[in-house]
Amino acid sequence: MDSVLKYKTQNRIILNMEFSNLSIQVEELPDFKEAKLEPIAKKYLLLLWFNFAILLLLFSSMLIGLYFFVENIPSFVFKISVPFLTLILLIRAIEIIKGFPKRKFGVRELDIIFQKGFFFFKETVIPFKRIQHVEIKQGPVLRILGLYSLKLYTAGASSGDLVIDGLHLEVAEKLKAKVLQVTENEDE
Amino acid sequence: MRMNNSDFSVLQRQSFSGVFLIFFSDLAKQFKRYFYAFFAPFLSENFRTNYLGYLIAGLILLVILQFVYSYLSFLKYQFQIQQKAFIVQKGVIKRSKVEIPFHRIQNINIQQNVLQQIFGVVGFQVETAGESASEVKIKALDSATAQSLKEALLEEVKEVSNSTKFEVDETALQEDSNSIDSPTQNSKSSTLLKLSFGKLLKVGLSSNYLKGFGLLFLFLSGIGNFVNDILSQFIDVDFDENLVNRLPETIGFIALVAFVFVLLAFLLTVSLQVIKYFNLKVIRIKDNFEVSHGLFKRINQVIKKTKTQVVSFEYNPILRFFGINNVFVSQASAKEIAEKQKIGLVGISLSQFEEFFEAIFDLPFQQEFVQQNTSFRFMVVLFWRQVLLYIGFGVAAYFLIFPIAGFGLAFIALLGFTFLNYKIVKKSYVAMNDDLLKIGSGSIDTKTEYVALHKIQSVKLKRSIFQRMNGHADLIIYNASGSHSIPYLPYHKARLYFNLILYKVETSKLGWI
């Protein structure tokens, strides 16, 4: 709660000042880039490659099926589709290899941060007090790996919801407890 | 039952003509569901000659059964106002009881569709915060009962909110229930906007101006070809019958067909808009607004200050010429709001918007903002997104008309789209002050969206691999009605806005849904 008070005093300064000064004031605000981030569980990489393998299987069985079971297919179909599908797989593979180390989450005093993505690097921050409820989930493949997903729901439209995949149970529970604790404090 | 019209503490049923309303709407539903099952036998000749009588008898029996069922469901549908909640009991076979505590009631809407108009009843809807399962829709009430039920409920809601004022201080719910007010209290309500038919027509025509221009273009090209045809009749020159020479006729024919299609589409969209916003009325009750519109289906909606998420102010050159604007309001919703679901205050003047703005945001309309525009590099991105289109145009014209036309057409497309892209980038910005976020967008039309800062729920910064190289970022904000993206801001600026928005949300004590 201390930080809120600190925020409040700062707030007053901002309210009183002229707008030409805003950028100077803003630079003194806590920067989300300075938050300490932690990587998600290493095992989650297996799941990403598993999904990749399924995609590979799907594509190759499609091509093989076309080749053996449909007669008189002009060869340009393969000349176009093979490079195209290979390109998709290549992009997926690069995304997994380069993108996995970027999957990180962090908790600040009043909000939670999650970032991911190589081709499109996305950083999302949700203030704790805008979180409606928290859910720890586990899909079938995640169950084999012993990993969990943390889903953070915001009110109304679901586009603002955040899912952090690939957490160990104790980490997920700690995060959930943290969110709930802060939300309760806010309610008081 | 008719005697105690206004005593809602005892169980009440719907208006008796509701039986028929329920019957007809159920029948229509069943008909839709089983249409094919009944229709299929008619295809067989054998069946038609031998069993038609049985089928008709069966149908009549089913209709009678349906009537009995509808009558029972009418009897079993009862509602009442109890100590702390509005209660609805329903269901013939599976009974269910819906209880809505007064403090959860958000909106009360009275509507009338065509069927209800025929039977002289109105629909009564009680909206709660979010969950659609706990919403109540009474299909058939006579208008007087609906009005007194609404008043009775609002009375209760008010009482609850007054008595709990000190317990649940400052929560969103509190503000909500406080702000529900009966529209019959004329002393506090005033008309903000009443759209005349002429103005509505202007709105309809100018909101579809692109189609209108297309129409004009096709019409002119059609006339041109017509004139050409007539001239050639008189001059009587004999060309070789090859494709190039027949082209004008072909184009003329295509233009004619396209003209008819576009004309129909134009008329349809204009008339749909006129029907939708027919007799639009916006009534201000304290800081909330009651909006009603529609020709066949009269829609009644309430814009609540607390539930409002985004106010979007839109105009285009033609609307500007008429001096009118369109305002669309998004409220908190369980689903992403589609363009159609936004509450439209079309044909609003600037001064009316000013009043609306000040009531909804509780701020003076004149606001100072710190603004950040989208970088012009975004034009390059838009170009790459459209490059296939240019190539497509060029190639099509190259083969269909003649080679030089290919380059010409591709070049014209490039010029046209570059102009549009320039407009898009020019009009895209984010601006902020202590209370509000303002987002600009548009191309030929101009759209300005206002979001109260404390209603933002989460923020995202998105950077493609190219944006990381050239120092840009897309800023995306989320609230309870959906998301808004501002493309290609300089990275360090986007980061400042990001931090400032978070700080504002985290220090705010105001309710947001």
Side-chain angles (χ1 to χ4, degrees):
Chain A
M1 287 294 101
D2 251 349
S3 61
V4 174
L5 284 175
K6 213 161 54 193
Y7 268 151
K8 266 203 161 164
T9 49
Q10 270 184 2
N11 197 5
R12 204 161 297 131
I13 300 165
I14 287 200
L15 287 172
N16 290 336
M17 63 162 204
E18 283 300 312
F19 272 96
S20 47
N21 300 333
L22 188 69
S23 56
I24 306 162
Q25 209 50 51
V26 165
E27 260 142 21
E28 288 171 15
L29 286 174
D31 188 2
F32 77 100
K33 276 295 196 186
E34 283 159 19
K36 243 175 77 187
L37 300 180
E38 288 174 49
I40 62 163
K42 281 234 165 57
K43 267 195 282 179
Y44 189 72
L45 193 55
L46 286 176
L47 180 109
L48 292 174
W49 283 120
F50 177 75
N51 287 343
F52 181 80
I54 287 178
L55 201 65
L56 184 68
L57 210 69
L58 193 78
F59 284 172
S60 43
S61 57
M62 233 161 62
L63 289 175
I64 290 167
L66 271 183
Y67 188 78
F68 283 107
F69 296 110
V70 186
E71 280 170 36
N72 297 328
I73 287 209
S75 63
F76 75 84
V77 171
F78 290 102
K79 277 180 190 157
I80 294 172
S81 61
V82 170
F84 181 68
L85 295 180
T86 317
L87 188 70
I88 290 179
L89 288 174
L90 197 69
I91 288 174
R92 288 291 311 156
I94 294 173
E95 174 68 52
I96 293 174
I97 295 165
K98 301 281 265 180
F100 183 73
K102 289 187 180 288
R103 282 180 182 257
K104 284 178 177 177
F105 64 92
V107 174
R108 296 198 296 176
E109 245 163 315
L110 296 172
D111 49 37
I112 182 162
I113 304 176
F114 182 58
Q115 59 166 57
K116 68 171 185 183
F118 173 70
F119 288 108
F120 290 95
F121 181 56
K122 297 169 194 164
E123 296 159 284
T124 312
V125 180
I126 306 189
F128 288 132
K129 66 177 186 186
R130 291 291 180 263
I131 295 173
Q132 291 290 84
H133 73 276
V134 198
E135 204 178 279
I136 295 179
K137 293 206 307 197
Q138 193 179 41
V141 187
L142 279 179
R143 186 167 302 149
I144 297 169
L145 294 171
L147 292 177
Y148 295 81
S149 300
L150 185 75
K151 187 154 189 199
L152 306 166
Y153 293 89
T154 54
S158 57
S159 59
D161 297 349
L162 178 65
V163 186
I164 304 180
D165 285 317
L167 296 172
H168 288 295
L169 186 58
E170 62 268 32
V171 180
E173 268 175 354
K174 219 189 273 172
L175 282 178
K176 185 179 172 182
K178 172 82 182 168
V179 172
L180 291 179
Q181 173 209 331
V182 177
T183 330
E184 270 162 27
N185 281 347
E186 280 302 326
D187 286 345
E188 273 162 19
Chain B
M1 204 164 54
R2 292 269 67 83
M3 304 295 286
N4 43 24
N5 232 344
S6 50
D7 183 13
F8 295 104
S9 58
V10 294
L11 278 171
Q12 283 220 21
R13 292 203 179 96
Q14 303 176 73
S15 165
F16 186 73
S17 40
V19 179
F20 300 99
L21 181 92
I22 295 167
F23 170 60
F24 278 113
S25 60
D26 282 353
L27 202 62
K29 230 184 277 171
Q30 302 289 7
F31 183 72
K32 257 186 232 162
R33 197 181 297 164
Y34 297 117
F35 175 73
Y36 292 105
F38 286 121
F39 182 69
F42 279 95
L43 295 176
S44 128
E45 174 133 22
N46 174 36
F47 184 89
R48 259 181 311 195
T49 46
N50 294 329
Y51 300 102
L52 191 61
Y54 292 106
L55 184 75
I56 289 174
L59 277 178
I60 290 172
L61 188 70
L62 281 176
V63 168
I64 291 170
L65 280 178
Q66 179 62 55
F67 184 79
V68 172
Y69 185 85
S70 296
Y71 182 67
L72 283 178
S73 67
F74 164 77
L75 283 184
K76 297 283 182 184
Y77 195 106
Q78 288 174 305
F79 54 89
Q80 116 186 77
I81 294 178
Q82 273 192 355
Q83 205 66 44
K84 281 183 173 159
F86 181 57
I87 291 174
V88 173
Q89 296 177 25
K90 60 180 172 183
V92 178
I93 296 161
K94 192 184 144 211
R95 298 280 293 156
S96 70
K97 188 173 171 183
V98 181
E99 235 183 286
I100 304 182
F102 294 132
H103 67 86
R104 292 270 302 281
I105 295 179
Q106 290 245 338
N107 268 353
I108 293 171
N109 298 326
I110 296 177
Q111 304 180 339
Q112 196 175 35
N113 62 25
V114 182
L115 204 57
Q116 283 161 333
Q117 259 171 42
I118 293 171
F119 289 106
V121 291
V122 294
F124 189 90
Q125 185 186 18
V126 180
E127 262 180 50
T128 58
E131 304 117 287
S132 60
S134 59
E135 260 170 30
V136 159
K137 265 186 190 167
I138 303 176
K139 275 184 190 161
L141 281 182
D142 63 83
S143 152
T145 316
Q147 208 53 47
S148 49
L149 178 61
K150 184 174 177 177
E151 274 161 39
L153 276 176
L154 288 172
E155 200 55 46
E156 298 284 355
V157 169
K158 237 188 195 169
E159 236 165 70
V160 167
S161 59
N162 284 339
S163 64
T164 53
K165 199 164 195 164
F166 301 102
E167 290 165 32
V168 276
D169 199 35
E170 279 195 340
T171 65
L173 206 61
Q174 160 73 31
E175 273 177 55
D176 264 349
S177 28
N178 240 348
S179 51
I180 293 185
D181 243 304
S182 165
T184 46
Q185 286 173 306
N186 283 325
S187 54
K188 281 172 195 163
S189 68
S190 61
T191 306
L192 175 77
L193 171 66
K194 196 168 183 301
L195 199 62
S196 67
F197 187 73
K199 226 173 188 180
L200 174 62
L201 214 55
K202 277 184 200 166
V203 170
L205 291 173
S206 46
S207 300
N208 300 294
Y209 67 97
L210 269 184
K211 275 187 197 126
F213 274 133
L215 203 64
L216 203 65
F217 176 74
L218 289 170
F219 183 68
L220 289 179
S221 71
I223 293 259
N225 275 303
F226 182 65
V227 170
N228 239 355
D229 275 1
I230 290 181
L231 281 182
S232 61
Q233 294 278 326
F234 287 110
I235 301 168
D236 201 20
V237 198
D238 211 12
F239 287 116
D240 282 335
E241 286 280 286
N242 60 32
L243 180 70
V244 177
N245 285 326
R246 269 211 314 251
L247 206 62
E249 290 165 36
T250 328
I251 290 182
F253 179 69
I254 294 173
L256 188 73
V257 172
F259 174 75
V260 170
F261 266 107
V262 176
L263 180 68
L264 284 178
F266 181 68
L267 287 179
L268 192 71
T269 36
V270 169
S271 49
L272 279 181
Q273 199 147 20
V274 168
I275 288 168
K276 183 175 178 191
Y277 290 115
F278 185 78
N279 197 11
L280 172 72
K281 240 190 281 179
V282 183
I283 293 164
R284 177 175 178 173
I285 306 141
K286 275 190 182 167
D287 284 344
N288 299 315
F289 293 87
E290 245 193 23
V291 184
S292 61
H293 57 81
L295 180 59
F296 298 122
K297 191 179 176 191
R298 198 83 191 142
I299 293 172
N300 250 302
Q301 284 164 306
V302 179
I303 301 175
K304 300 172 63 62
K305 189 173 173 171
T306 39
K307 238 178 130 186
T308 299
Q309 300 290 324
V310 183
V311 174
S312 171
F313 181 77
E314 300 170 20
Y315 62 86
N316 60 42
I318 298 175
L319 281 168
R320 177 106 303 187
F321 175 76
F322 289 131
I324 49 182
N325 312 281
N326 294 337
V327 167
F328 293 94
V329 180
S330 321
Q331 308 210 76
S333 134
K335 288 184 213 111
E336 188 97 9
I337 290 191
E339 214 53 50
K340 272 187 189 162
Q341 291 163 301
K342 292 176 180 171
I343 301 175
L345 314 180
V346 297
I348 198 171
S349 73
L350 198 61
S351 60
Q352 285 164 340
F353 176 62
E354 237 168 84
E355 184 188 340
F356 179 75
F357 180 97
E358 288 180 355
I360 287 291
F361 289 113
D362 225 345
L363 295 165
F365 184 64
Q366 293 301 327
Q367 294 271 323
E368 277 188 78
F369 289 95
V370 197
Q371 185 171 328
Q372 181 57 53
N373 291 322
T374 291
S375 293
F376 275 97
R377 185 174 272 276
F378 188 49
M379 280 183 75
V380 180
V381 180
L382 290 174
F383 169 78
W384 283 115
R385 278 186 203 164
Q386 292 151 357
V387 84
L388 275 181
L389 211 63
Y390 304 139
I391 295 172
F393 266 127
V395 170
Y398 188 96
F399 286 112
L400 284 179
I401 309 177
F402 44 89
I404 299 180
F407 296 108
L409 211 62
F411 186 67
I412 290 172
L414 179 71
L415 277 186
F417 277 110
T418 307
F419 173 71
L420 279 184
N421 294 348
Y422 172 76
K423 282 284 189 190
I424 288 173
V425 174
K426 191 91 178 139
K427 286 182 178 174
S428 167
Y429 63 85
V430 61
M432 196 172 157
N433 63 23
D434 281 313
D435 310 291
L436 292 175
L437 193 72
K438 186 172 147 192
I439 301 168
S441 60
S443 51
I444 291 178
D445 44 349
T446 309
K447 192 168 164 183
T448 313
E449 286 164 302
Y450 297 92
V451 184
L453 276 177
H454 66 271
K455 300 214 168 167
I456 293 173
Q457 298 195 115
S458 69
V459 218
K460 188 189 261 179
L461 215 52
K462 185 171 153 194
R463 310 181 72 200
S464 75
I465 195 163
F466 302 110
Q467 284 173 315
R468 297 209 287 281
M469 287 191 274
N470 59 39
H472 285 89
D474 293 353
L475 180 66
I476 305 163
I477 62 143
Y478 296 88
N479 57 30
S481 69
S483 64
H484 298 264
S485 170
I486 307 106
Y488 260 81
L489 301 169
Y491 176 55
H492 66 285
K493 281 287 165 62
R495 214 163 122 179
L496 291 183
Y497 277 86
F498 195 94
N499 286 329
L500 191 55
I501 290 170
L502 279 176
Y503 159 78
K504 283 290 178 190
V505 174
E506 282 160 14
T507 51
S508 165
K509 284 279 179 203
L510 298 165
W512 78 104
I513 35 171

